[in-house]
Structure formats: C-alpha cells, structure tokens
Amino acid sequence: MKILTINPGSTSTKLALFSGTDCLWKAHLAHDKNEISRLTSFASEKEFRKKIILNELAKRGVDLKEINAISARGGLLAPVEGGTYTVNQSMLNDLTSCKHGKHASNFGAVIASELADVAGIPAFIVDPPVVDELEPVAVISGLPEISRRSLFHALNQKAVARVCAQEIGISYEKGSFIVAHMGGGISVGAHRHGRVIDVNNALEGEGPMSPERSGGLPAGALLKLATGGKADPEELMEKITRKGGIHAYLGTNSFTEVLKRAANGDEKAKLIVDAMAYQVAKEIASLSPVLKGKIDAIVLTGGLSESGIFVNLIRERVDFLAKVVTVPQMEEAALAAGALRILGGEEKARAYRG
C-alpha cells in the first residue's frame, strides 16, 4: 500500500510517500512569507500550494494513479472524536469557508481531495487538531459564557502515545499517559484508555508559554491591556498566538538561538528557558489528578524535545510522577498509519458531519 501524506504549515508544506509503514521519501517545501502574505484568498493560496506539491511529485516521478490513498493533516473543523475520517463535501465546505477558524492546516484535506479525485483514490484526514474527547467536567471554565475548547496537536500526541504504549508492552487503549507536544505551540494532554480527556487549548492562550505563544495570562492584566487602547483585538490575538512567549521576551522564536545565548552567558535567555520548562512541568503535574495518579508514562515530543537541556529541566520536576520518555515527532508517519488502518480493515473510516 502506497500512501501520500500532505502536512501544510504556516510557511511550509511537508510531503512524504510511504510504502506500508516504510517512508520512501520526505520533502519539506518551504514557502516565502512575503509571497504567502500576498495570497489574500483561500483559493489563491490553495492553488499556490497545490502547484508546488504537483511540481515536487513530478520531480520525483510519482504517478498518483500508483498510490492507494492520500492522507492529510486535518484543519479547523467542528469538534470530532479521534480517528481517521474520509474527506467529504461537508468537511470541504467547512474548511474552504474557514467556518471554524483560519489555519494553514485547512489546506490539507482540500488539496488531498482534489489530487485523489484525479487519481480515483480515497482521501483521509487523521486526528485533526479539533479532536474533542474532553470529559464533561473538563469543559467547565468558570464562566457560563465560556466553555473550554479542545484544540491541540492531536495527530502527534496520539501517535507518540501509541509508540510509548507499544514500547512498554501495553495497548494505547488500556494505558494512561501525559503527553507534552513542544514546538511553536505547546499542548499537554491527559490520555486515558485511548482518549484525550483533558488538554490545554494550545492555540488560544491556555497552558505554558512557548516560542511563539504567551500561554495562560492573568485575566485582569489581559483585560486592562485589551481595553486600555494599547492593542486592538486582532493585534492582541497576534501577540498572544504568534508573537508571545520567547518571541516577546527575546525577539526570536528560534529555540536553538535562545539556547546558544543561554550557553554563552545570557542570563535573561537562561531565565526564559527555565521559565518555559517550569511552566511545562506545572502543566504536566496539573494533569496527575485528572488520571488519579495512575500514569504509565510521561511522553515529551515535538521539536523542543530534541534539546537534552530542556528535557532535563522538565524531567527533574516531574519524574516523581512517572517515567519520562521522549518520542520524536511523527506526524507524517501518523498520517500514513491512520490511512493504513482503514485500508487494512483494522478500523472503519469515520464520516464528518460538521
């Protein structure tokens, strides 16, 4: 079985071709920020990305008709349970209209569907970022007008939890894990018996700060900032989601650069790295009572988990709860695996209803 995976991000699109679980090749197609910014409509940016994908496939001699399925990163949709979904018209309508929000991930299913239609093969998405398996008690925020929303790195979180479960000899559906995906945004989820029963909303301000996001902020101070004429709502959201965290304190979202500064004696950089690790550890520890202290493993993943220094800062604060392991980010492999489970008859594809 050959599976093409499509994983669009804000400034790049990642492609990979799998034969079963073996990756034949990967491609990281970078997009110029200035060029992307000039594409003001969904349709124009979709065509821009699709053309680049087709060029890459042609360069590699890939015939879509020799592929069994296309599996894409899911976008901002209505809340759904975890699993693999067949791309259908209801999904395409919600993604192209950005009904539930704008994000680069919205392009994945749309491009996959158009390519799959040409080849006469199925298109899927796997564990989109809107996977919502929160328990009712976790939805309560403190204000009736606001419900907590599940919006996180579901694809990678579930994939690495499955890997960890296999390594310790249990099934994901029978284990309990705390998983921290640490990249441009940071999400920390409590996984119990195959469901993510609590997780911070990694896009809209909950949880620890990250290289780009502010994380949770004192509500009173945020309200003063919003109403004090210092920032309009769009600017404030940009500050919280794209220019917060490390970027706000140190002027860069490059964690590698910040680690170098800290190693070279920059005390402010060292403090901010320590503070981010401290906040991640606090978020992990806060989920221990969610799982009633029964944790098979704490899993660290994402780009920041490649830093032994950062991992150790977190480990020394939380390893009293459970064994701490790192698992490399594996989104493309997770996309392929989700499609293979459907094609192999292990699971039935879910239908998105919007």
Side-chain angles (χ1 to χ4, degrees):
M1 291 286 184
K2 286 190 176 180
I3 312 294
L4 176 68
T5 67
I6 301 175
N7 182 3
S10 57
T11 58
S12 69
T13 300
K14 296 176 183 177
L15 294 182
L17 183 64
F18 287 80
S19 177
T21 57
D22 295 329
C23 183
L24 302 179
W25 55 260
K26 287 184 178 182
H28 185 279
L29 310 177
H31 309 317
D32 183 84
K33 284 186 178 181
N34 293 326
E35 192 166 5
I36 286 282
S37 66
R38 291 194 290 269
L39 303 171
T40 56
S41 70
F42 184 94
S44 61
E45 186 169 346
K46 182 263 295 179
E47 286 299 319
F48 169 80
R49 289 175 183 258
K50 181 180 172 183
K51 182 178 179 181
I52 290 175
I53 290 170
L54 288 171
N55 288 342
E56 183 67 21
L57 294 177
K59 186 173 74 174
R60 292 180 179 270
V62 175
D63 183 351
L64 288 173
K65 293 183 179 179
E66 295 177 357
I67 292 173
N68 298 96
I70 301 177
S71 190
R73 181 184 180 192
L76 299 185
L77 296 160
V80 297
E81 290 202 346
T84 300
Y85 288 77
T86 302
V87 177
N88 59 20
Q89 194 57 52
S90 180
M91 182 186 297
L92 295 174
N93 291 343
D94 283 3
L95 292 172
T96 55
S97 67
C98 298
K99 179 180 178 180
H100 300 283
K102 295 180 179 179
H103 195 271
S105 58
N106 286 18
F107 295 108
V110 179
I111 295 172
S113 177
E114 292 182 3
L115 298 183
D117 284 347
V118 172
I121 56 177
F124 303 109
I125 64 167
V126 183
D127 290 328
V130 294
V131 165
D132 186 349
E133 299 165 339
L134 300 186
E135 294 194 332
V137 69
V139 178
I140 304 302
S141 71
L143 279 180
E145 298 91 340
I146 301 174
S147 294
R148 291 190 63 242
R149 187 182 178 193
S150 180
L151 192 57
F152 70 111
H153 306 91
L155 177 65
N156 192 51
Q157 279 215 23
K158 282 181 171 276
V160 299
R162 286 179 183 274
V163 168
C164 180
Q166 185 177 25
E167 288 180 351
I168 63 177
I170 62 175
S171 74
Y172 173 55
E173 289 73 20
K174 291 184 178 179
S176 294
F177 307 90
I178 296 176
V179 181
H181 175 106
M182 305 180 298
I186 296 176
S187 63
V188 185
H191 297 234
R192 187 178 68 194
H193 301 165
R195 298 173 64 82
V196 184
I197 61 173
D198 201 355
V199 66
N200 63 298
N201 181 334
L203 182 62
E204 296 178 333
E206 288 188 336
M209 72 174 180
S210 77
E212 295 182 342
R213 296 171 189 164
S214 67
L217 298 169
L222 183 61
L223 188 61
K224 287 180 181 178
L225 185 62
T227 59
K230 295 182 179 180
D232 67 32
E234 286 190 10
E235 288 176 346
L236 188 54
M237 183 56 73
E238 176 80 359
K239 191 177 184 70
I240 290 170
T241 61
R242 301 296 297 174
K243 297 180 180 178
I246 283 179
H247 186 283
Y249 283 101
L250 300 174
T252 179
N253 63 2
S254 170
F255 193 59
T256 301
E257 179 184 333
V258 171
L259 287 176
K260 286 180 181 177
R261 288 193 206 176
N264 289 331
D266 186 326
E267 290 299 322
K268 184 176 181 181
K270 184 178 183 302
L271 174 62
I272 299 306
V273 170
D274 287 349
M276 190 165 71
Y278 174 81
Q279 290 183 18
V280 173
K282 281 178 64 178
E283 193 72 19
I284 289 170
S286 75
L287 293 179
S288 178
V290 173
L291 298 174
K292 299 181 180 178
K294 298 175 182 177
I295 308 165
D296 291 300
I298 295 168
V299 187
L300 306 181
T301 184
L304 305 192
S305 71
E306 296 174 8
S307 165
I309 293 172
F310 190 65
V311 165
N312 286 335
L313 287 171
I314 297 169
R315 178 181 280 118
E316 66 185 16
R317 293 186 182 275
V318 299
D319 63 359
F320 71 95
L321 294 170
K323 181 180 180 180
V324 179
V325 300
T326 60
V327 179
Q329 190 167 334
M330 51 181 299
E331 290 177 337
E332 285 73 37
L335 289 173
L340 286 169
R341 288 194 293 271
I342 303 303
L343 297 178
E346 296 177 45
E347 294 179 13
K348 291 188 69 174
R350 296 172 179 262
Y352 176 75
R353 305 191 189 285

